[in-house]
Amino acid sequence: QSISGYDASGSNYEITDDVDAVIGAGSSVIDNVGVTRVEVTDDADATEGVSLNAYNGNVDFNVEDTASNIATNATNLTKADDVDAVSGTVTVAQAEAVQGLTGYDAGESYYSIDDNSANVIAAKDRVLTNGNINVDVTNTVNASDGAILAGFTADIEFNVVDNADAIAIEVAASGTGAGSLDEANNVAVVSGDV
């Protein structure tokens, strides 16, 4: 492009290079009308992805970073072809931001969701199993909410604290094994008779 006779409108070519080179080239090079496509050869982290996403040209890039970094930058990673959240801990809302990206790759994403029971229950398996995800409920739950959490297919860590009658009702309704209060890490009876 720096040749004095360069004709951008008459040019038609692609650029293939690594993240640093593509970001360093700037928009005068990457968004040049003669460039039909730019292929980034290595994975960008979330911050680098934001820079690549800012180009107007046809830039193909992948992002690999922690779930929290991706969530923080999700609104500026919409053009990423593939997004892998490879570690870290996020809330349900942050997980939804990551999973809402067109390039989100559930099969290559491994992270944790830590949030309160209300948010985890509202998220359902649609969010909680959309990747290789471990879920930790940050508060203790009553027997009824424990039964709801136990009914999900997601890997959820939770503790139940309730009176004897409420726990007995849930055990009678769901029995034992998968989908029952057996899935709780701890069940504490705080009062009452059965």
Side-chain angles (χ1 to χ4, degrees), residues 169-189:
I169 289 169
E170 292 305 331
V171 170
S174 63
T176 59
S180 73
L181 290 183
D182 282 353
E183 294 193 22
N185 289 349
N186 295 297
V187 178
V189 179

Side-chain angles (χ1 to χ4, degrees), residues 104-135:
Y104 175 68
D105 187 346
E108 295 298 323
S109 292
Y110 298 82
Y111 56 96
S112 296
I113 295 174
D114 287 11
D115 212 332
N116 65 53
S117 57
N119 290 340
V120 170
I121 290 169
K124 304 191 182 325
D125 278 330
R126 171 187 58 81
V127 174
L128 306 177
T129 61
N130 191 7
N132 302 288
I133 301 170
N134 181 65
V135 181

Side-chain angles (χ1 to χ4, degrees), residues 1-183:
Q1 294 175 7
S2 62
I3 298 171
S4 61
Y6 175 70
D7 179 8
S9 62
S11 299
N12 185 339
Y13 59 95
E14 297 184 3
I15 296 173
T16 301
D17 215 330
D18 64 26
V19 171
D20 291 338
V22 173
I23 292 173
S27 61
S28 63
V29 173
I30 302 303
D31 292 335
N32 184 280
V33 70
V35 178
T36 58
R37 179 176 170 267
V38 178
E39 180 182 356
V40 181
T41 58
D42 55 342
D43 290 335
D45 65 27
T47 303
E48 293 167 333
V50 169
S51 296
L52 295 169
N53 200 79
Y55 286 127
N56 294 317
N58 180 18
V59 181
D60 295 339
F61 67 98
N62 300 328
V63 173
E64 182 177 296
D65 207 335
T66 66
S68 58
N69 287 345
I70 292 169
T72 298
N73 294 286
T75 57
N76 294 308
L77 295 173
T78 56
K79 298 178 186 175
D81 295 298
D82 185 77
V83 179
D84 299 340
V86 294
S87 64
T89 302
V90 293
T91 64
V92 167
Q94 290 171 316
E96 289 173 329
V98 172
Q99 294 173 15
L101 291 167
T102 303
Y104 175 68
D105 187 346
E108 295 298 323
S109 292
Y110 298 82
Y111 56 96
S112 296
I113 295 174
D114 287 11
D115 212 332
N116 65 53
S117 57
N119 290 340
V120 170
I121 290 169
K124 304 191 182 325
D125 278 330
R126 171 187 58 81
V127 174
L128 306 177
T129 61
N130 191 7
N132 302 288
I133 301 170
N134 181 65
V135 181
D136 288 314
V137 176
T138 57
N139 59 297
T140 57
V141 300
N142 62 32
S144 176
D145 284 349
I148 294 169
L149 292 168
F152 291 144
T153 58
D155 176 19
I156 303 175
E157 306 289 330
F158 65 97
N159 297 307
V160 175
V161 175
D162 211 334
N163 64 55
D165 191 46
I167 292 171
I169 289 169
E170 292 305 331
V171 170
S174 63
T176 59
S180 73
L181 290 183
D182 282 353
E183 294 193 22

